[in-house]
Amino acid sequence: MIPTEDASARKREIEEKLKQEQETLSFIRENLEKSDQLTKGMVSILSSFESRLMQLENSIIPVHKQTENLQRLQENVDKTLSCMDHVISYYHVAKDTDRIIREGPTGRLDEYLACIAKIQKAVEYFQDNNPDSPELNTVKARFEKGKELLEAEFRSLLTRYSKPVPPILILDAISVDDELEVQEDVVLEHLPEAVLQDIICIAGWLVEYGRNQDFMNVYFQIRSNQLDRSIKGLKDHFRKNSASSGILYSPAVQTKRKDTPTKKAPKRPGTIRKAQNLLKQYSQHGLDGKKGGSNLTPLEGYDHDLRVKHLSDALTEKHGAAAGKDDVLDIEIDSYIHCISAFVKLAQSEYALLAEIIPEHHQKKTFDSLIQEALDNLMLEGDNIVSAARRAIMRHDYSAVLTIFPILRHLKLNKSEFDSTLQGTAASTKNKLPTLITSMETIGAKALEEFADSIKNDPDKEYNMPKDGTVHELTSNAILFLQQLLDFHETAGAMLASQETSSSASSYTSEFNKRLLSTYICKVLGNLQLNLLSKSKVYEDSALSAIFLHNNYNYILKSLEKSELIQLVTVTQKKAESSYRELIEQQIQMYKSSWVKVTEHLTDRNMPVFQPGTKLKDKERQVIKDKFKGFNDGLEELCKIQKGWAIPDKEQRDFIRQSQKKVVSDAYRAFLQRCANISFTKNPEKYHKYRAEEVEEMIERLFDTSA
């Protein structure tokens, strides 16, 4: 049972909640009624607005359509007027551009090209719309006139601003300074930048609109002339400056580059010209200025004082007259070598310039034409060198081949860069340098072979033999010639290899070429040895013949050792050095045998046997007298004769003197000692003419032409 109080309280609580809910429901009903009233009012307003919009639309749309039609008509009128103005402008183009076209493009290229563009458009308009109109002929004529003036401007700019490259700048570009780790590239600027841009612009227009390739011909003709003038200017520079100053760089350039190491002048083939001069000048005269002298150059160990006077006289009389001519030839060789390098650098520079101006598909052909004149002149000069060498060889002047060596070496060293520069040119152009190289190798190899044969076949002329038994001119000439091959051993080896047809020569390796050159040198030396042996027989005195062969063999050996030719010789002949030493020793022994007829008088042969204190018979006294007389006469005769003979090598001269002095002196002392207590004459001073010391002094003066 729920208590009565709790039930009453629960009832009151429910009644209060019910009352609150009823009040809430009454509020909601009132709000719904208000909302309905507002909705009805809004619907009424919207209906009225819609009705008004419909009325407005019915009024505005016709007006809008009419306005749109009017605007379209206005646009059509404007377009028509614009087209009329445009068309009319074509009829005035000729008049409007007349002054600018007549005055030309100089100084206002952009404005001029704009006028040309207007004329071009007018031409296109009349061709499309009124091809029979006189205006078309007028604008066409104006366009052609404008194009002609552009071509003239192209030619004028190129002609006016294209200048030969200064020789000093070319020399800077082709020089190599070994002291600099990174070489500074010298820029060869052929045209000012502003002018270049104008030329490029004109060329571009002529290609695109001018439809004319004549300007390319103009370009290569002008630039070809400048390329040729640049190389000729370099030649003139050598002729004017090298002979007098001996340097290739002017003081101005040296002053300008105080902050950089001084450039080394390229190696000049002056030693070659000196060799040529010696080979030519001394082929007929010796060092003593007489027939049969020698032209040997002093070597280490040779007595310079013995020959210096004769050498000085010969140089003054013979070499001095030819020095100027040889100096000129030195310069010509230097000039040609430098011109080859200059051509490569200038051609590369020309191609870089051409690539900016000429269309790509025309560049190779234009470049080929551009370089032809300069290249042909260089090749012609090379052919002239070959021809001169050929004529000299026909005259048996084999020293002419020495001129070819530095040039040929330079051509071969630069061939790869040369070929790279000429890449893309015609085959006839690319083959010019290889053809010249082949010609030089052929004539050079011929000269080498004929020189070897000439050494073998040089006649044994009595008047051409040195009277003092010194080195023969043939020996010194041959050695001097071979020494020049050292500086160009690779070139000479390749020159000989170029004439080989065997399968072993197909590779032309450096080692193969070296063996060929070694074989050649040994052939020359072998021919020389055979010829010297034959020449020695011209002497009636076998002792002089031995001295002659000794001097020549010794000179050959010393020359080989000093110039390092021996290293090339031993490639194919390992024992060459010892062979020459044996030959030298043989001739020394042969010479010593000439004293036997003197020392034989000092031997015990026919010497009387006697006891001390015993009186000699007349016959026995006469034997001793004859021995003294034979010795004295033989000594005097040999010393008189041999004093005029020469042994230029001081070491060998002293050795032979001392050796012979000991042999004779010892024999003479022993003889004097045996005869000391013998009374064989009342006048002993008549037979005992010389003391042992005096005999030694007489032998000491042998081979001394100054005594």
Side-chain angles (χ1 to χ4, degrees):
M1 290 294 290
I2 300 174
T4 306
E5 291 181 1
D6 292 342
S8 298
R10 180 66 175 167
K11 182 179 180 182
R12 284 194 298 276
E13 183 179 351
I14 292 171
E15 289 178 349
E16 287 178 359
K17 288 184 177 180
L18 179 61
K19 184 178 180 180
Q20 290 176 356
E21 292 293 337
Q22 287 176 345
E23 289 176 353
T24 301
L25 180 61
S26 175
F27 177 75
I28 291 172
R29 285 175 178 166
E30 289 177 357
N31 285 332
L32 285 173
E33 289 177 355
K34 289 180 181 179
S35 178
D36 288 341
Q37 290 177 359
L38 291 173
T39 300
K40 290 179 180 178
M42 182 60 68
V43 168
S44 176
I45 292 171
L46 289 174
S47 298
S48 175
F49 186 70
E50 181 181 7
S51 175
R52 291 181 181 180
L53 281 175
M54 290 179 66
Q55 291 177 1
L56 181 60
E57 183 179 355
N58 292 333
S59 301
I60 292 299
I61 286 176
V63 175
H64 174 72
K65 289 182 178 180
Q66 186 177 4
T67 302
E68 188 178 40
N69 290 335
L70 290 174
Q71 288 177 342
R72 188 177 297 111
L73 291 172
Q74 180 64 40
E75 289 176 359
N76 289 338
V77 170
D78 291 342
K79 288 181 179 180
T80 301
L81 291 174
S82 177
C83 287
M84 291 295 294
D85 290 340
H86 184 67
V87 170
I88 292 171
S89 68
Y90 288 132
Y91 287 87
H92 295 287
V93 163
K95 180 180 178 182
D96 294 341
T97 60
D98 180 66
R99 181 181 61 83
I100 295 177
I101 295 300
R102 279 190 293 100
E103 293 177 356
T106 303
R108 49 177 178 183
L109 182 60
D110 292 339
E111 182 182 6
Y112 190 85
L113 290 177
C115 288
I116 292 288
K118 290 180 182 180
I119 297 172
Q120 187 176 7
K121 289 180 180 179
V123 170
E124 293 172 354
Y125 170 79
F126 288 118
Q127 284 178 337
D128 294 339
N129 298 280
N130 194 0
D132 297 328
S133 65
E135 286 79 6
L136 175 60
N137 295 330
T138 301
V139 292
K140 270 188 175 181
R142 191 58 48 82
F143 181 80
E144 291 299 323
K145 180 65 176 177
K147 185 173 72 171
E148 290 175 6
L149 291 177
L150 275 177
E151 292 173 346
E153 180 69 4
F154 183 86
R155 179 190 293 272
S156 175
L157 289 175
L158 270 178
T159 303
R160 193 182 321 141
Y161 293 99
S162 290
K163 305 294 182 184
V165 180
I168 297 300
L169 192 58
I170 296 176
L171 289 170
D172 282 343
I174 64 178
S175 64
V176 176
D177 194 332
D178 296 332
E179 296 179 1
L180 297 180
E181 295 182 1
V182 180
Q183 294 297 321
E184 177 184 355
D185 290 334
V186 177
V187 179
L188 301 178
E189 185 179 283
H190 297 288
L191 297 169
E193 183 61 28
V195 174
L196 175 60
Q197 293 305 317
D198 283 351
I199 290 175
I200 292 173
C201 186
I202 295 174
W205 187 93
L206 291 173
V207 170
E208 185 174 358
Y209 302 109
R211 295 178 178 84
N212 189 348
Q213 298 181 6
D214 289 345
F215 78 95
M216 299 181 197
N217 296 331
V218 171
Y219 179 85
F220 89 70
Q221 289 169 0
I222 294 175
R223 294 307 308 168
S224 174
N225 182 49
Q226 297 307 321
L227 173 61
D228 191 53
R229 288 179 62 192
S230 297
I231 295 177
K232 288 179 179 177
L234 182 61
K235 291 180 184 178
D236 293 339
H237 176 77
F238 271 90
R239 294 190 183 100
K240 293 177 181 177
N241 300 326
S242 296
S244 58
S245 65
I247 58 174
L248 302 179
Y249 296 89
S250 69
V253 174
Q254 292 175 346
T255 303
K256 182 180 179 181
R257 298 195 167 195
K258 287 182 179 179
D259 59 334
T260 61
T262 304
K263 290 187 176 291
K264 296 179 180 178
K267 186 177 180 181
R268 300 180 59 189
T271 57
I272 288 179
R273 294 311 311 161
K274 291 176 184 177
Q276 283 183 283
N277 186 62
L278 286 171
L279 289 172
K280 291 177 181 178
Q281 296 301 319
Y282 299 152
S283 61
Q284 297 177 349
H285 296 268
L287 284 178
D288 57 2
K290 300 177 182 179
K291 295 287 185 181
S294 168
N295 62 339
L296 66 89
T297 53
L299 293 173
E300 185 178 353
Y302 275 69
D303 188 351
H304 178 67
D305 293 336
L306 181 64
R307 310 296 287 177
V308 69
K309 182 178 184 298
H310 302 314
L311 176 61
S312 176
D313 293 342
L315 288 175
T316 301
E317 180 181 357
K318 297 296 178 184
H319 181 57
K325 181 178 179 181
D326 288 336
D327 287 342
V328 171
L329 187 53
D330 274 352
I331 297 168
E332 292 299 328
I333 295 172
D334 284 349
S335 173
Y336 187 70
I337 288 174
H338 282 79
C339 285
I340 291 291
S341 296
F343 172 79
V344 174
K345 287 294 183 184
L346 290 171
Q348 291 171 347
S349 179
E350 286 291 347
Y351 190 83
L353 177 65
L354 176 146
E356 295 187 76
I357 299 172
I358 304 300
E360 184 176 358
H361 55 287
H362 290 289
Q363 289 174 4
K364 294 294 185 183
K365 182 179 179 181
T366 304
F367 178 68
D368 197 345
S369 300
L370 188 154
I371 62 174
Q372 283 303 313
E373 183 177 4
L375 180 58
D376 286 344
N377 287 339
L378 284 177
M379 295 303 105
L380 178 61
E381 190 171 349
D383 290 338
N384 289 339
I385 292 172
V386 172
S387 298
R390 185 178 291 108
R391 291 192 298 271
I393 292 169
M394 292 176 65
R395 299 192 303 269
H396 306 292
D397 174 17
Y398 304 108
S399 64
V401 72
L402 299 176
T403 303
I404 292 178
F405 275 110
I407 297 174
L408 180 58
R409 179 174 68 177
H410 188 75
L411 291 178
K412 297 184 78 170
L413 287 174
N414 288 270
K415 185 178 182 299
S416 59
E417 189 174 8
F418 208 100
D419 292 342
S420 176
T421 302
L422 300 186
Q423 187 177 4
T425 58
S428 59
T429 301
K430 289 186 285 191
N431 289 336
K432 288 181 179 179
L433 181 65
T435 300
L436 178 59
I437 289 176
T438 301
S439 297
M440 287 190 170
E441 286 184 330
T442 301
I443 195 66
K446 180 180 179 182
L448 291 177
E449 291 301 324
E450 291 196 9
F451 176 77
D453 292 339
S454 73
I455 295 297
K456 180 179 180 181
N457 301 320
D458 186 67
D460 303 328
K461 298 178 181 178
E462 184 175 354
Y463 66 82
N464 199 35
M465 295 295 291
K467 305 302 182 183
D468 55 2
T470 188
V471 179
H472 196 279
E473 63 187 14
L474 180 68
T475 302
S476 54
N477 287 349
I479 293 300
L480 192 59
F481 186 90
L482 294 179
Q483 286 173 343
Q484 304 310 310
L485 300 184
L486 278 178
D487 290 337
F488 304 95
H489 61 275
E490 293 181 1
T491 303
M495 187 181 286
L496 294 169
S498 68
Q499 306 305 306
E500 291 290 318
T501 56
S502 61
S503 58
S504 61
S506 58
S507 59
Y508 291 164
T509 61
S510 177
E511 187 62 29
F512 176 79
N513 295 349
K514 187 176 182 181
R515 290 189 66 82
L516 275 180
L517 183 58
S518 175
T519 302
Y520 172 78
I521 292 175
C522 291
K523 177 181 178 181
V524 172
L525 292 176
N527 290 348
L528 178 60
Q529 184 176 336
L530 290 173
N531 198 312
L532 289 173
L533 190 59
S534 175
K535 288 182 184 300
S536 68
K537 297 176 182 178
V538 172
Y539 295 110
E540 295 180 358
D541 192 329
S542 61
L544 180 56
S545 176
I547 290 295
F548 170 76
L549 289 176
H550 164 273
N551 284 333
N552 282 271
Y553 292 155
N554 187 60
Y555 180 76
I556 292 171
L557 178 60
K558 286 292 183 71
S559 299
L560 293 179
E561 292 175 335
K562 183 182 179 183
S563 64
E564 299 180 358
L565 270 171
I566 193 67
Q567 296 178 5
L568 269 177
V569 171
T570 52
V571 171
T572 52
Q573 287 192 8
K574 304 296 183 183
K575 298 182 178 180
E577 189 172 358
S578 61
S579 297
Y580 274 109
R581 294 194 186 282
E582 290 176 5
L583 290 172
I584 292 170
E585 181 60 29
Q586 288 175 7
Q587 299 310 316
I588 291 177
Q589 296 303 321
M590 187 70 69
Y591 163 75
K592 287 182 177 180
S593 66
S594 68
W595 282 83
V596 172
K597 63 182 181 181
V598 175
T599 57
E600 68 179 358
H601 295 289
L602 306 177
T603 64
D604 290 337
R605 187 167 59 88
N606 299 326
M607 192 73 175
V609 178
F610 58 90
Q611 295 295 327
T614 304
K615 186 177 180 181
L616 296 177
K617 298 178 181 180
D618 293 341
K619 185 177 180 180
E620 291 174 336
R621 288 197 298 271
Q622 189 61 41
V623 169
I624 297 175
K625 291 178 181 179
D626 290 343
K627 282 183 175 288
F628 268 105
K629 186 176 187 305
F631 172 77
N632 292 336
D633 292 346
L635 176 66
E636 291 170 356
E637 181 184 1
L638 281 186
C639 288
K640 180 180 179 181
I641 294 173
Q642 295 185 9
K643 184 175 66 173
W645 297 353
I647 300 180
D649 188 331
K650 185 178 185 301
E651 181 181 346
Q652 287 289 312
R653 184 168 68 246
D654 291 343
F655 171 76
I656 293 176
R657 281 173 175 172
Q658 294 302 320
S659 177
Q660 195 59 44
K661 183 169 65 175
K662 178 175 175 56
V663 171
V664 176
S665 177
D666 288 351
Y668 188 54
R669 289 177 189 274
F671 177 75
L672 291 178
Q673 188 174 2
R674 288 196 301 273
C675 299
N677 297 320
I678 300 176
S679 177
F680 63 92
T681 179
K682 295 180 180 180
N683 299 307
E685 66 278 359
K686 177 181 177 181
Y687 298 97
H688 188 184
K689 294 175 63 175
Y690 303 105
R691 292 179 292 107
E693 292 78 13
E694 291 176 328
V695 171
E696 292 178 352
E697 290 177 2
M698 292 172 69
I699 296 175
E700 189 66 34
R701 290 195 293 271
L702 296 179
F703 317 117
D704 188 358
T705 56
S706 62

